[in-house]
Amino acid sequence: MAAHIGRRLRKGAATTAVAAAAVAALSASQAPGVTVDDQGRQSAGDATSAPDAAADDSATGNSPYYTDLPPLNSPAPSPSAGSGEAGDRSAAEAGIPATVLDAYKKAEAALRGTGCNLPWQLLAAIGKVESGQARGGRVDADGTTVSPILGPQLDGNGFALIRDTDNGAYDGNRMYDQAVGPMQFIPSTWSWAGRDGNGDGRKDPNNIYDAALAAGHYLCRYDWDLSQPGDLRKAILSYNNSTDYLNTVLSWLDYYRKGTHEIPDGTGALPDDRSDARPGVTPSTPGTTPPARPGTRPGKPSGPRPSPSPTAPGTGGPSTPPTTPAPSTPPTPTDTVHHLEDAGTGTLTAMAGHTFAERIATRAETQAGKAVAKVRIRFTIVGDTDSTFAGGESVATVTTDASGVAVAPALQAGERTGAFAVQAAVVGRSVKGVPYKVTVTQRAADALARVGEKELTCVAGGEFAEPVAVEATYGGEAAGKVAVTATLVTSADDPAENDKGPYFKDADGKAVRTLTGMRTDADGRLTLPKLYADDTAGTFLLRLTTAGGATLDVELTVEPAATPSPDPDPSADPDPSADPSADPSTEPSQTPAA
């Protein structure tokens, strides 16, 4: 870190006082909890590295990254900011290329409302550290880098050892994996974390929209709340398991949160320093490691090898010294795995929309049955299902513990019922895996209760003014989206559909006495359609049933229609008082003759 500070102060920090002031300014620019000592070294307070884990458990395989820290000046330089080469470079370092910035903000928007609270500035900080914002924004109009960005091959020579997992599909290397794209995903992670962020139907790690959205989902996959410092640290460490990496990302995150500015694509400055820059090692630069051609070994000449000239015995020619065999590479834990075994997983059954109580556990073993630790186990959901692992993923990779066991994340049942499978396999090896049968049952309720206590009555031939409303529960909790069937039954002892009495109406206005396909709402409530009554008076039963065995009988009363007044008997003598002709006042007046 001191080297970084020294480079920034090279033109002006000639004295110890100036250097001390620069360190103080840098310290002030760090994220909360990150401090800088008088040598320019960072510490992260209570931020500690994640537990020991295989390199390829991280998004990047713990590949090298840029270690440059943010500039000391304001993130949004004013017009009076210094000019010249130093000022131009500072502005380029502080700015984010337009397309790259757009990709980060769209990824944040896509994950808004998930509870993850992903800030686009975190994606910008990781993008800066991983690839210098896609090599200064050198992307085309669709957001794809103008040339692939590849990290060094992870062959164990100064880096992690991760043998090829994609047959060179993403990185072009069929021997070892390499981190790919502006967010530097290793192929085995991209195979399940990849996303289509620009809507072109492809998941391309070299496209900044795809890579930014994938990085957002990756950081949010364990239901972390990134507004909480503890979850934020865990998410960053899951991307690259290094405390120095954590501190560098936090520094850029804090810097971008203070403000930044957009710069044209392709004008951003590449960082200078890499985490693998150390004595005797040439630092790598993303994109400079050429992928090995199929059929060749990295570092070996691809052309024909010259044959040495033979030396005849006794001619005095130089003798060939005996060749010392190259030391063999010790086997990795993955190399020793012979098969996988179930590690006591119970029955995998859950109701639609619920979390499975049981989690899949798989044990990696040698041929002799000995446990193998630090082996990556990939759990893949197979079949026609919308169930996922926690975080919405269909694939999860977990490293075996000291007892050789890997426990998959909890399964979340979708709405699609039926059976599917989860396949456990060793990453990087073709060995016997373990399939697990999983079943999702339909949503159910174990209790139904009527909402309201008002009696349900109407007169024959009329309609019920009060609708029937019910509430379903399961285990005392509201049972949402549960299917309900309503039938007007003959009697409490006869569940056959009644052919008289109250009825519902279908779309054509015809009488129906059984309704299916209704579901409770998210709160477990359901209001039935309006009920009508034919001309049969009496007491009737409406029976409601659900999956899971909940039953409720609702009593309906139909009262007789009012009896009309009898018509008068036409044979009876008319009431003289009612006959207008009997009223003397109605007789024609007699006019006396003149």
Side-chain angles (χ1 to χ4, degrees), residues 3-23:
H4 307 162
I5 299 172
R7 186 181 65 255
R8 292 198 180 97
L9 302 177
R10 190 174 296 131
K11 294 186 178 181
T15 66
T16 303
V18 175
V23 170

mmCIF file of all heavy atoms in Angstrom, residues 3-23:
data_model
loop_
_atom_site.group_PDB
_atom_site.id
_atom_site.type_symbol
_atom_site.label_atom_id
_atom_site.label_comp_id
_atom_site.label_asym_id
_atom_site.label_seq_id
_atom_site.Cartn_x
_atom_site.Cartn_y
_atom_site.Cartn_z
ATOM 1 N N ALA A 3 3.555 1.724 -1.482
ATOM 2 C CA ALA A 3 3.974 1.996 -2.851
ATOM 3 C C ALA A 3 2.922 2.788 -3.595
ATOM 4 O O ALA A 3 3.220 3.674 -4.395
ATOM 5 C CB ALA A 3 4.279 0.693 -3.577
ATOM 6 N N HIS A 4 1.650 2.471 -3.326
ATOM 7 C CA HIS A 4 0.567 3.209 -3.994
ATOM 8 C C HIS A 4 0.589 4.670 -3.596
ATOM 9 O O HIS A 4 0.469 5.566 -4.433
ATOM 10 C CB HIS A 4 -0.790 2.625 -3.611
ATOM 11 C CG HIS A 4 -0.876 1.154 -3.848
ATOM 12 N ND1 HIS A 4 -1.832 0.369 -3.265
ATOM 13 C CD2 HIS A 4 -0.105 0.324 -4.597
ATOM 14 C CE1 HIS A 4 -1.650 -0.880 -3.640
ATOM 15 N NE2 HIS A 4 -0.606 -0.916 -4.447
ATOM 16 N N ILE A 5 0.739 4.920 -2.318
ATOM 17 C CA ILE A 5 0.748 6.291 -1.837
ATOM 18 C C ILE A 5 1.954 7.023 -2.395
ATOM 19 O O ILE A 5 1.882 8.164 -2.843
ATOM 20 C CB ILE A 5 0.741 6.318 -0.298
ATOM 21 C CG1 ILE A 5 -0.540 5.643 0.218
ATOM 22 C CG2 ILE A 5 0.837 7.737 0.216
ATOM 23 C CD1 ILE A 5 -0.549 5.444 1.688
ATOM 24 N N GLY A 6 3.095 6.343 -2.390
ATOM 25 C CA GLY A 6 4.303 6.966 -2.906
ATOM 26 C C GLY A 6 4.151 7.375 -4.351
ATOM 27 O O GLY A 6 4.634 8.425 -4.771
ATOM 28 N N ARG A 7 3.475 6.525 -5.160
ATOM 29 C CA ARG A 7 3.293 6.862 -6.569
ATOM 30 C C ARG A 7 2.442 8.104 -6.722
ATOM 31 O O ARG A 7 2.713 8.974 -7.540
ATOM 32 C CB ARG A 7 2.634 5.701 -7.302
ATOM 33 C CG ARG A 7 2.564 5.937 -8.807
ATOM 34 C CD ARG A 7 1.875 4.786 -9.513
ATOM 35 N NE ARG A 7 0.473 4.685 -9.112
ATOM 36 C CZ ARG A 7 -0.005 3.763 -8.292
ATOM 37 N NH1 ARG A 7 0.799 2.860 -7.777
ATOM 38 N NH2 ARG A 7 -1.293 3.738 -7.984
ATOM 39 N N ARG A 8 1.375 8.204 -5.904
ATOM 40 C CA ARG A 8 0.503 9.367 -6.020
ATOM 41 C C ARG A 8 1.200 10.649 -5.606
ATOM 42 O O ARG A 8 0.870 11.731 -6.065
ATOM 43 C CB ARG A 8 -0.740 9.166 -5.160
ATOM 44 C CG ARG A 8 -1.645 8.061 -5.686
ATOM 45 C CD ARG A 8 -3.027 8.206 -5.094
ATOM 46 N NE ARG A 8 -3.863 7.144 -5.601
ATOM 47 C CZ ARG A 8 -4.103 6.019 -4.939
ATOM 48 N NH1 ARG A 8 -3.589 5.854 -3.747
ATOM 49 N NH2 ARG A 8 -4.878 5.086 -5.448
ATOM 50 N N LEU A 9 2.124 10.532 -4.683
ATOM 51 C CA LEU A 9 2.781 11.728 -4.151
ATOM 52 C C LEU A 9 4.131 11.982 -4.794
ATOM 53 O O LEU A 9 4.872 12.863 -4.372
ATOM 54 C CB LEU A 9 2.953 11.594 -2.639
ATOM 55 C CG LEU A 9 1.644 11.373 -1.858
ATOM 56 C CD1 LEU A 9 1.953 11.183 -0.387
ATOM 57 C CD2 LEU A 9 0.711 12.542 -2.053
ATOM 58 N N ARG A 10 4.453 11.188 -5.862
ATOM 59 C CA ARG A 10 5.789 11.236 -6.443
ATOM 60 C C ARG A 10 6.170 12.642 -6.881
ATOM 61 O O ARG A 10 7.302 13.066 -6.780
ATOM 62 C CB ARG A 10 5.849 10.279 -7.630
ATOM 63 C CG ARG A 10 7.238 10.057 -8.173
ATOM 64 C CD ARG A 10 7.212 8.983 -9.241
ATOM 65 N NE ARG A 10 6.815 7.717 -8.651
ATOM 66 C CZ ARG A 10 5.874 6.930 -9.141
ATOM 67 N NH1 ARG A 10 5.214 7.292 -10.222
ATOM 68 N NH2 ARG A 10 5.570 5.791 -8.555
ATOM 69 N N LYS A 11 5.183 13.416 -7.398
ATOM 70 C CA LYS A 11 5.504 14.724 -7.950
ATOM 71 C C LYS A 11 5.514 15.825 -6.890
ATOM 72 O O LYS A 11 5.999 16.919 -7.154
ATOM 73 C CB LYS A 11 4.505 15.088 -9.055
ATOM 74 C CG LYS A 11 4.629 14.173 -10.281
ATOM 75 C CD LYS A 11 3.740 14.652 -11.394
ATOM 76 C CE LYS A 11 3.890 13.766 -12.625
ATOM 77 N NZ LYS A 11 3.040 14.228 -13.754
ATOM 78 N N GLY A 12 4.945 15.554 -5.738
ATOM 79 C CA GLY A 12 4.861 16.675 -4.799
ATOM 80 C C GLY A 12 5.233 16.335 -3.377
ATOM 81 O O GLY A 12 5.460 17.240 -2.577
ATOM 82 N N ALA A 13 5.252 15.054 -3.025
ATOM 83 C CA ALA A 13 5.489 14.674 -1.628
ATOM 84 C C ALA A 13 6.963 14.491 -1.398
ATOM 85 O O ALA A 13 7.453 13.380 -1.325
ATOM 86 C CB ALA A 13 4.714 13.414 -1.299
ATOM 87 N N ALA A 14 7.678 15.534 -1.284
ATOM 88 C CA ALA A 14 9.124 15.430 -1.097
ATOM 89 C C ALA A 14 9.497 15.399 0.367
ATOM 90 O O ALA A 14 10.641 15.109 0.705
ATOM 91 C CB ALA A 14 9.826 16.607 -1.784
ATOM 92 N N THR A 15 8.586 15.694 1.207
ATOM 93 C CA THR A 15 8.914 15.747 2.624
ATOM 94 C C THR A 15 8.072 14.777 3.399
ATOM 95 O O THR A 15 7.006 14.356 2.968
ATOM 96 C CB THR A 15 8.683 17.164 3.193
ATOM 97 O OG1 THR A 15 7.288 17.439 3.138
ATOM 98 C CG2 THR A 15 9.430 18.218 2.377
ATOM 99 N N THR A 16 8.522 14.452 4.582
ATOM 100 C CA THR A 16 7.777 13.541 5.445
ATOM 101 C C THR A 16 6.436 14.143 5.833
ATOM 102 O O THR A 16 5.425 13.452 5.942
ATOM 103 C CB THR A 16 8.590 13.231 6.716
ATOM 104 O OG1 THR A 16 9.836 12.706 6.318
ATOM 105 C CG2 THR A 16 7.857 12.258 7.625
ATOM 106 N N ALA A 17 6.402 15.444 6.010
ATOM 107 C CA ALA A 17 5.152 16.101 6.404
ATOM 108 C C ALA A 17 4.090 15.950 5.339
ATOM 109 O O ALA A 17 2.922 15.673 5.631
ATOM 110 C CB ALA A 17 5.406 17.583 6.677
ATOM 111 N N VAL A 18 4.483 16.131 4.080
ATOM 112 C CA VAL A 18 3.518 15.974 2.999
ATOM 113 C C VAL A 18 3.025 14.543 2.923
ATOM 114 O O VAL A 18 1.845 14.267 2.731
ATOM 115 C CB VAL A 18 4.136 16.419 1.655
ATOM 116 C CG1 VAL A 18 3.175 16.143 0.511
ATOM 117 C CG2 VAL A 18 4.490 17.903 1.689
ATOM 118 N N ALA A 19 3.941 13.588 3.068
ATOM 119 C CA ALA A 19 3.547 12.178 3.031
ATOM 120 C C ALA A 19 2.572 11.854 4.145
ATOM 121 O O ALA A 19 1.582 11.142 3.946
ATOM 122 C CB ALA A 19 4.787 11.289 3.140
ATOM 123 N N ALA A 20 2.847 12.395 5.330
ATOM 124 C CA ALA A 20 1.944 12.134 6.450
ATOM 125 C C ALA A 20 0.560 12.715 6.184
ATOM 126 O O ALA A 20 -0.456 12.112 6.504
ATOM 127 C CB ALA A 20 2.525 12.724 7.735
ATOM 128 N N ALA A 21 0.525 13.894 5.574
ATOM 129 C CA ALA A 21 -0.768 14.496 5.257
ATOM 130 C C ALA A 21 -1.527 13.670 4.249
ATOM 131 O O ALA A 21 -2.754 13.517 4.335
ATOM 132 C CB ALA A 21 -0.558 15.920 4.714
ATOM 133 N N ALA A 22 -0.808 13.120 3.271
ATOM 134 C CA ALA A 22 -1.475 12.279 2.261
ATOM 135 C C ALA A 22 -2.053 11.038 2.897
ATOM 136 O O ALA A 22 -3.165 10.609 2.564
ATOM 137 C CB ALA A 22 -0.477 11.898 1.164
ATOM 138 N N VAL A 23 -1.299 10.430 3.820
ATOM 139 C CA VAL A 23 -1.809 9.232 4.503
ATOM 140 C C VAL A 23 -3.060 9.564 5.291
ATOM 141 O O VAL A 23 -4.044 8.817 5.297
ATOM 142 C CB VAL A 23 -0.716 8.635 5.421
ATOM 143 C CG1 VAL A 23 -1.302 7.553 6.316
ATOM 144 C CG2 VAL A 23 0.425 8.086 4.592
#
